[in-house]
Amino acid sequence: MAFRDGPFENIKVPLAWTAAVVVVVAVIGAIFLLLGDRTTPEGGSSMGAARGGFEAAAGPVGGVFAAPVRWGGAARDYVGGYFFAIGENRRLKAEIAELRGWRDEAIAQKNINGRYEALLGLRTEPAVAMATGRAISDARGPFNRAKLIDVGSAKGVRIGNPVVTEHGLVGRISGVTSGVSRVVLLTDVASRTPVMIERTDARAMLTGDGGDSPRLEFIRGAGSIQAGDRILSSGDGGGLPRGLPVGVAAKGVDGAWRVKLFSDHGAVDYVRVLLFQTFGQLVSPDALNAPPLAGLATAPEPNAAEAGAIRDAAARRQTAQQAQAERARAAAAAAAAPVTPAAAPSTTPNAARPATTAPRPAVATPPPAPVATPTAPTDAPGGAA
């Protein structure tokens, strides 16, 4: 039986009244819940069970009603991403290209800064003034190995100055202008560098032959070099400071000793020129030629106790010298005194008396000379005695 066929088919309820009744019931229920909610002795709520049941029942219902909303949002994002993917892709590609350029520049700057830090950290003993430059051209051939750098006489560079990188010795200055210098590398055929083997301190001459590894010639001492020995500048002749790293010794295919240069470990583009001419520039010639004990003129005056001790020592030394001189004079006088015998008078004429001598001194003296026997005086004429 349908609802309209029942006993309530003639009942008509206006929509406004229905809504008003629902609101009134909801308000009454809310007021009832507010007034009936009390805190239990355990610290909970008296409506906690009812609230929990309502939330448990409303949770799945809310999830069901929220699912279409989530699906609609996801579909919208998908469609929007699909339509805008091309434009976003182009924008990202442009950003990547721009960032790639910045990345390459940052890497280059990092490498340059590392080179500068290594060059600035280079130290020599004793300290030598330096000028930093950059290689601007390179000349390589079977007989010529040289570079041009952008520092010259305006920075104090002179012919003969050694050139180094952060790895080791590169060569020497062979020509100078105001702003440019020419560097002859160690591998040039005109290069001759006095070196030493660090392990044995043996001397040798590093000779360039146009190859990448110059030869070691005139090695002093048998067995003074082995493969892997470090080669340093010896400073002989005064053209280079002592101890600059050059390379490592190795046996060549021709059987000769060669040097694998430390400067080959990196590009020779940033260099430092040691403003070194002779060892005389490292110290003042006046200080080297100072008179002996010249520094004692600045000694402080002694105090009273020190002055008394100095006088006592001088007096004792003078007394000892005087006593030694007296002993020497006494010994000399005793050695030079002559020895004379004492003769007794004789009462018997022409009677010989034995000669007596004085006791001999402790020192050795020559034997005494023989003594003649004295004779009695003769009678005078006329019988007078």
Side-chain angles (χ1 to χ4, degrees):
M1 181 179 64
F3 180 77
R4 67 172 59 95
D5 296 334
F8 303 102
E9 60 178 344
N10 295 323
I11 297 177
K12 296 180 179 179
V13 180
L15 182 60
W17 286 99
T18 304
V21 171
V22 171
V23 171
V24 170
V25 172
V27 171
I28 293 172
I31 293 174
F32 174 75
L33 292 175
L34 290 175
L35 296 178
D37 190 9
R38 294 290 186 271
T39 303
T40 61
E42 292 80 6
S45 176
S46 60
M47 296 294 180
R51 185 181 296 111
F54 177 78
E55 291 176 354
V61 176
V64 171
F65 284 106
V69 178
R70 292 195 303 269
W71 295 341
R76 184 195 60 187
D77 294 341
Y78 178 78
V79 174
Y82 179 79
F83 283 106
F84 294 101
I86 297 176
E88 186 71 13
N89 191 21
R90 290 176 181 174
R91 185 182 65 82
L92 293 177
K93 285 183 178 180
E95 290 184 359
I96 291 173
E98 183 180 1
L99 292 176
R100 186 178 291 112
W102 283 104
R103 181 202 63 185
D104 296 339
E105 184 175 356
I107 293 175
Q109 292 296 331
K110 180 180 179 181
N111 293 334
I112 293 174
N113 289 337
R115 300 285 301 281
Y116 275 130
E117 289 175 0
L119 286 174
L120 293 175
L122 181 65
R123 296 290 184 270
T124 59
E125 184 63 33
V128 179
M130 300 183 188
T132 304
R134 182 175 184 178
I136 55 179
S137 69
D138 189 1
R140 290 185 177 270
F143 304 104
N144 184 29
R145 298 290 182 95
K147 284 183 177 291
L148 293 181
I149 58 177
D150 59 356
V151 291
S153 58
K155 295 292 185 67
V157 178
R158 299 181 180 179
I159 295 177
N161 289 156
V163 180
V164 298
T165 64
E166 67 272 22
H167 301 294
L169 183 65
V170 173
R172 301 177 69 177
I173 299 294
S174 62
V176 179
T177 64
S178 177
V180 179
S181 301
R182 184 174 183 269
V183 181
V184 172
L185 304 181
L186 296 177
T187 55
D188 191 272
V189 294
S191 176
R192 300 291 186 274
T193 306
V195 296
M196 68 178 182
I197 294 88
E198 183 180 29
R199 182 178 57 87
T200 60
D201 203 27
R203 298 306 198 265
M205 184 66 68
L206 185 68
T207 304
D209 57 359
D212 294 332
S213 300
R215 296 194 312 272
L216 280 176
E217 297 180 347
F218 309 108
I219 303 174
R220 301 179 185 176
S224 58
I225 185 172
Q226 296 178 1
D229 285 345
R230 277 171 47 92
I231 307 301
L232 309 176
S233 62
S234 64
D236 295 338
L240 293 173
R242 178 188 174 97
L244 295 179
V246 177
V248 177
K251 202 75 168 180
V253 294
D254 55 353
W257 284 106
R258 294 183 175 270
V259 177
K260 297 179 180 179
L261 300 177
F262 289 141
S263 58
D264 291 339
H265 293 172
V268 182
D269 47 6
Y270 294 97
V271 298
R272 302 199 78 178
V273 182
L274 304 183
L275 306 181
F276 176 87
Q277 290 296 318
T278 60
F279 289 101
Q281 76 183 85
L282 303 179
V283 66
S284 173
D286 297 335
L288 292 177
N289 299 327
L293 305 180
L296 295 182
T298 60
E301 293 292 335
N303 53 29
E306 293 173 348
I310 293 174
R311 288 193 297 269
D312 292 342
R316 288 194 297 270
R317 185 167 54 253
Q318 184 177 4
T319 302
Q321 292 175 355
Q322 291 177 355
Q324 184 178 2
E326 291 294 336
R327 288 194 297 271
R329 284 195 297 268
V339 179
T340 55
S346 176
T347 56
T348 305
N350 299 328
R353 298 293 302 272
T356 60
T357 59
R360 302 177 66 178
V363 296
T365 55
V371 180
T373 303
T375 57
T378 55
D379 295 338

